[in-house]
């Protein structure tokens, strides 16, 4: 078990600060991620998928519950901040909106360089920064000609590859992919999915793949959790996808458009 | 919605207490003894230890600090700011009440003038973006905001009153007296407003709902006024509200240039005379005004936003 | 007979001289649905906007001809074009959540559209609005008309947009299914299919296009890659881009199908 989440709760004040109501986003989440597994999380928009991703990657503090990575408790946690940040390196995240998850003023080498600096300062490793950046770029199917480019000089697919490289730089064990392929064009989507599968075996990664698209999910995932209003309502291996019984899951299955795509 | 208003109003109370405390200690921070200052101001010929002690008792200065503050606060709540040092027969509250109408008149008139002029100008600048009209206004705005308030005031006074001899140079009287001071304040503040409305309009014009309004075949004036302008006004409310106090501080200088008998002038005279109770009252009132104009704009802002209003439905 | 025929449509950005769309030609026959398929940035949305004069003339230079029932849309004056928009050619846009003015109630916005695009007397506008919303499967039209856009879901707003588009003879639907979730996407597609109008359906999603279109125009980098009837496109794509697109979508669909089918066979 590489990641273990128990009875996780999260709520936050309702959108406008004008009322005192709190919105429950996660209501008792239990999740176990096995080594080298790709776990898919599906659900409608607003069901709490992204909030879960943020809690797991320590971008957001949960209200209560337990989060463990490789048996080490990362929440609740009263340890020193330094140790917590060290743990942070073991889990990476790639967002849907690649354009807004990189600073438009940084070049590719600096975007990846930021991650490398964390590696050097916190893990006290020494390495040739440029060589390492190029290696990472090659890993995600880009080359050294990208080093000096700015985000606006790249296509969506290329930029998302840079984002993946940036996460890989920290040598994570788990990668959370929050709708990471959803806003890419169809052809690029397949390419990125293939890249992710290749990286998974090379780096011995485990994935949490968050999506609302059953087609991409079935392509890459081993197991599927179905989220509805802040809870997991179904859990099944991917080849039993069609057995989902929850009404929203049924609706989702019925809305897949593959007419004319299969013979 | 109602609970939000109540919460905001209650939230103002600690702020007001803090402000009152600050304006109180400000006067206590001055290097010289207030009693001595009061005596000097009253031009007492010989100042002896004994007279100082007498005055100290009279002014309550011999009591501990906190007690003095609470006593003062108690009076201030009843709008009693004590008496002027210069002339103990005049109460500070009375002086302020006497000069307040003039400042309000000037402030309100300037604010309305600014709004009435800046709204259409900003609107047309956005609609005819990059045209000669927009460029011309932009040059004007740039120049106007680069010139200091007192310089604009003197220029206007020289041109209209001295050179053309059309308007009175100073004092308060009919509408003709109001024109120059108000024009000075408007000229220096209008640039911010025009820029604000212009950029907000331009931003709104590129939104999806404007594209869709056009795609629905709505008439241009409807799209521009009914949809784009209304939304830009909404996003400008906060900025408008924030600039009302700025306008007030603008009157401070203008009143002195044009000898406008308002609060700003009262305060400057008080500063020259070291009339601390008046200064204290001025600071307090200005701060309270800042707080309340912010509060009111916040409430108006949320009242005019359907996304917030729906919660009360 | 062709309702709309576009010849050599080109769009150029004045600021940097970049050509956004180059020599695009296509036609839409009466009652037909033309799908325009392309990646983001391929110029599909820009072409649609150019047809209706929705591009800022100061920023974009549009050339070519677009004949709609004998009139060249690209050479019409602003006023004439405005009367065609909404009344004869209507649009459905991508982001339902941001396409309505947040400061006005839905009722006001629906009514102002009807007032502009039909000859319904003022007193009947409300009834007509209610009927229109019922036509697209909205069950509580009165309630919807009373609300502000922020109080409605994306799916509902998208339906209102479709309802308003029913006024026109030709509907240009610009990525109407992209911003809504999978379930709503499916339902919106069914709705568009049901209203059975002459339509230009723009999408980047091959699945959605093949659900609706009779013939498909594939665009890439501002140029037409190919224009074929849907079945021919799926069975015999001509351009490299289409082939690649089909291959990648099929690969994805194949895995999904095999998962589902395996289960069905087991049952």
């Amino acid at each position: 078990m590489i990641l273990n989440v128990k009875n996780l709760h999260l709520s936050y004040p309702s959108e406008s600060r004008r009322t005192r109501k709190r919105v429950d986003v996660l209501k008792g989440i239990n999740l176990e991620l096995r080594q080298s597994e790709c776990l898919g999380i599906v659900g409608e928009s607003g069901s709490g998928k992204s909030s879960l991703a943020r809690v797991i990657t320590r971008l957001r503090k949960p209200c209560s519950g337990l989060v463990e990575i490789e048996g080490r408790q990362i929440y609740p946690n009263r340890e020193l901040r330094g140790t917590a940040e060290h743990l942070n390196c073991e889990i990476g995240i790639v967002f849907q909106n690649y354009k807004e998850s990189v600073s438009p003023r940084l070049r590719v080498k600096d975007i990846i360089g930021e991650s490398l600096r964390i590696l050097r300062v916190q893990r006290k490793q020494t390495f040739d920064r440029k060589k390492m950046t190029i290696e990472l770029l090659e890993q995600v199917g880009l080359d050294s000609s990208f080093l000096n480019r700015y985000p606006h000089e790249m296509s969506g697919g290329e930029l998302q590859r840079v984002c993946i490289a940036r996460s890989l730089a920290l040598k994570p064990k788990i990668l959370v992919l929050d709708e990471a392929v959803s806003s890419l064009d169809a052809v690029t989507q397949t390419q990125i999915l293939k890249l992710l599968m290749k990286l998974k075996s090379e780096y011995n990664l485990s994935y949490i793949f968050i999506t609302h698209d059953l087609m991409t999910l079935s392509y890459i995932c081993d197991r599927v959790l179905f989220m509805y209003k802040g809870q997991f309502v179904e859990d099944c291996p991917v080849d039993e996808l069609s057995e989902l019984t929850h009404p929203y899951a049924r609706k989702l299955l019925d809305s897949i458009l593959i007419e004319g795509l299969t013979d | 919605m109602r609970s939000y208003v109540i919460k905001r109003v209650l939230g103002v109370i600690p702020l007001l207490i803090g402000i009152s405390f600050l304006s109180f200690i400000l006067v206590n921070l001055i290097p010289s003894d207030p009693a001595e200052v009061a005596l000097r101001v009253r031009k007492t010929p010989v100042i002896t230890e004994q007279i100082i002690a007498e005055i100290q008792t009279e002014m309550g200065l011999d009591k501990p600090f906190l007690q003095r503050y609470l006593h003062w606060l108690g009076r201030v709540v009843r709008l009693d700011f004590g008496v002027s040092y210069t002339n103990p027969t005049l109460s500070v509250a009375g002086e302020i009440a006497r000069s307040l109408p003039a400042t309000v008149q000037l402030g309100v008139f300037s604010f309305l003038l600014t709004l009435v002029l800046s709204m259409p100008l900003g609107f047309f600048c956005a609609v005819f973006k990059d045209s000669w009209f927009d460029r011309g206004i932009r040059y004007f705005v740039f120049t106007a905001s680069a010139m200091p308030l007192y310089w604009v005031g003197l220029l206007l006074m020289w041109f209209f009153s001295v050179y053309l001899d059309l308007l009175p140079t100073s004092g308060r009287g009919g509408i003709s007296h109001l024109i120059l001071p108000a024009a000075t304040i408007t000229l220096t503040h209008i640039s911010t407003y025009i820029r604000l409305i212009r950029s907000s309009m331009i931003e709104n014009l590129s939104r999806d709902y404007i594209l869709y309004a056009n795609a629905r075949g709505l008439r241009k004036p409807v799209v521009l006024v009914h949809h784009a302008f209304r939304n830009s006004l909404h996003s400008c409310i906060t900025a408008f509200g924030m600039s009302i106090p700025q306008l007030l501080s603008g009157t401070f200088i203008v009143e002195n240039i044009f000898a406008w008998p308002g609060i700003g002038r009262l305060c400057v005279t008080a500063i020259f005379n070291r009339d601390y109770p008046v200064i204290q009252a001025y600071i307090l009132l200005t701060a309270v005004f800042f707080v309340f104009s912010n509060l009111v704009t916040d409430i108006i802002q949320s009242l005019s936003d359907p996304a917030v209003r729906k919660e009360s439905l | 007979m062709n309702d709309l025929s576009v010849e050599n449509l080109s769009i150029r950005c004045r600021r940097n001289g970049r050509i956004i769309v180059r020599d695009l030609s296509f036609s839409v026959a009466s009652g037909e649905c033309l799908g325009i398929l392309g990646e983001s940035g391929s110029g599909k949305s820009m072409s649609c906007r150019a047809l209706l004069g929705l591009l800022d003339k100061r920023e974009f230079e549009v050339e070519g001809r677009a004949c709609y029932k004998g009139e060249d849309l690209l050479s019409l004056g602003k006023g004439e074009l405005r009367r065609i928009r909404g009344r004869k050619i209507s649009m459905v846009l991508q982001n339902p959540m941001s396409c309505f003015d947040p400061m006005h109630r839905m009722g006001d916005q629906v009514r102002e559209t009807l007032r502009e695009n039909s000859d319904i007397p003022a007193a009947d506008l409300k009834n007509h609005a209610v009927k229109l919303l019922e036509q697209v499967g909205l069950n509580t039209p009165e309630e919807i008309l009373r609300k502000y856009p922020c109080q409605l879901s994306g799916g509902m707003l998208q339906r209102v947009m479709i309802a308003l588009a029913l006024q026109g003879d030709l509907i240009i639907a610009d990525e109407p299914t992209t911003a809504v979730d999978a379930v709503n996407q499916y339902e919106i597609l069914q709705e568009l299919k049901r209203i059975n109008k002459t339509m230009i359906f723009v999408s980047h999603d091959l699945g959605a296009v093949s659900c609706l279109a009779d013939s498909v125009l594939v665009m890439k980098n501002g140029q037409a890659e190919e224009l074929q009837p849907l079945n021919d496109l799926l069975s015999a794509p001509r351009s490299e881009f289409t082939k690649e697109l089909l291959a990648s979508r099929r690969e994805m669909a194949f895995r999904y199908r095999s998962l589902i089918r395996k289960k069905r066979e087991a049952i």
Side-chain angles (χ1 to χ4, degrees), chain B residues 107-186:
Chain B
V108 168
F109 188 72
S110 316
F111 184 63
L112 290 180
L113 193 65
T114 314
L115 277 188
V116 165
L117 287 177
S118 63
M119 279 202 229
L121 287 177
F123 176 84
F124 286 112
C125 275
V127 174
F128 302 110
K129 192 182 148 210
D130 294 329
S131 66
W132 59 268
F133 176 79
D134 180 33
R135 278 198 211 125
I137 292 290
R138 258 173 21 213
Y139 280 122
F140 162 74
V141 158
F142 193 71
T143 324
S145 54
M147 286 197 289
L149 194 65
Y150 59 85
W151 171 245
V152 175
L154 291 175
L155 265 188
L156 288 179
M157 197 195 282
W158 173 78
F159 189 72
F160 287 102
S161 310
V162 181
Y163 187 74
L164 293 178
D165 197 18
L166 285 176
L167 297 163
T169 49
S170 58
R172 188 180 176 214
I175 196 88
S176 60
H177 285 84
L178 192 60
I179 292 175
L180 279 186
T184 310
I185 296 177
T186 304

Side-chain angles (χ1 to χ4, degrees), chain A residues 259-261, chain C residues 32-37 193 201 205-218 226-237 242 246 250:
Chain A
E259 258 176 73
L261 289 178
Chain C
E32 189 200 34
C33 173
L34 172 78
I36 300 184
L37 181 67
K193 210 173 202 171
F201 179 78
D205 184 355
L206 185 62
V209 169
S210 54
C211 178
L212 268 182
D214 300 310
S215 55
V216 182
L217 169 72
V218 183
E226 61 182 300
L227 174 56
Q228 289 208 73
L230 177 71
N231 290 333
D232 295 352
L233 183 95
L234 293 174
S235 56
T242 321
L246 271 174
R250 285 212 168 111

Side-chain angles (χ1 to χ4, degrees), chain B residues 2 5 8 13 100 153 174 194 197 208 223-224 232 234 281 294:
Chain B
R2 180 186 285 171
V5 174
R8 279 302 314 264
I13 293 173
L100 193 64
I194 293 178
I197 294 174
D208 280 350
V223 176
L224 290 178
S232 355
H234 173 74
N294 250 326

Side-chain angles (χ1 to χ4, degrees), chain A residues 185-187 189-190 193-194 215 218-219 239 242-243 248 252-253 255-262, chain C residues 39-40 181-183 185-186 189 206 210 234 244-245 248-253 255-257 259-260 263:
Chain A
D185 292 315
V187 177
Q189 210 172 45
T190 322
L193 284 175
K194 282 185 176 152
M215 207 123 69
S218 68
Y219 192 73
D239 40 6
S242 56
E243 279 186 12
Y248 186 78
L252 210 55
L253 280 167
S255 1
I256 290 294
L257 303 162
I258 45 170
E259 258 176 73
L261 289 178
T262 44
Chain C
E39 300 189 334
S40 53
D181 66 18
V183 173
Q185 173 179 344
Y186 182 75
L189 282 173
L206 185 62
S210 54
L234 293 174
E244 204 183 345
L245 181 71
S248 78
R249 289 315 286 173
R250 285 212 168 111
E251 191 180 340
M252 200 86 84
R255 165 105 175 120
Y256 178 75
R257 255 308 245 282
L259 288 177
I260 304 286
K263 220 53 230 174

Side-chain angles (χ1 to χ4, degrees), chain B residues 209 216 222-223 225-231 304 306 309, chain C residues 100-110 112 145-151:
Chain B
Y209 65 84
R216 283 184 284 159
V222 176
V223 176
V225 179
H226 200 57
H227 294 293
F229 189 57
R230 249 186 85 160
N231 275 283
S304 69
R309 205 163 43 202
Chain C
F100 288 96
D101 185 339
M103 299 282 283
H104 295 278
R105 287 176 198 276
M106 290 308 293
D108 296 339
Q109 303 192 50
V110 171
E112 75 183 354
L145 291 174
R146 261 201 310 277
K147 285 189 168 170
Y148 285 98
C150 62
Q151 294 166 284

Side-chain angles (χ1 to χ4, degrees), chain B residues 275-293:
Chain B
D275 198 347
Y276 292 115
V278 178
I279 303 172
Q280 207 169 31
Y282 179 79
I283 294 172
L284 189 68
L285 283 182
T286 319
V288 168
F289 182 69
F290 266 72
V291 170
F292 275 98
S293 62

Side-chain angles (χ1 to χ4, degrees), chain C residues 110 114 127-136 163-164 166-167:
Chain C
V110 171
L114 294 180
N127 289 332
H128 198 82
V130 169
K131 261 187 232 144
L132 214 52
L133 295 198
E134 277 168 349
Q135 273 180 44
V136 290
L164 288 176
L166 290 175
Q167 300 281 309

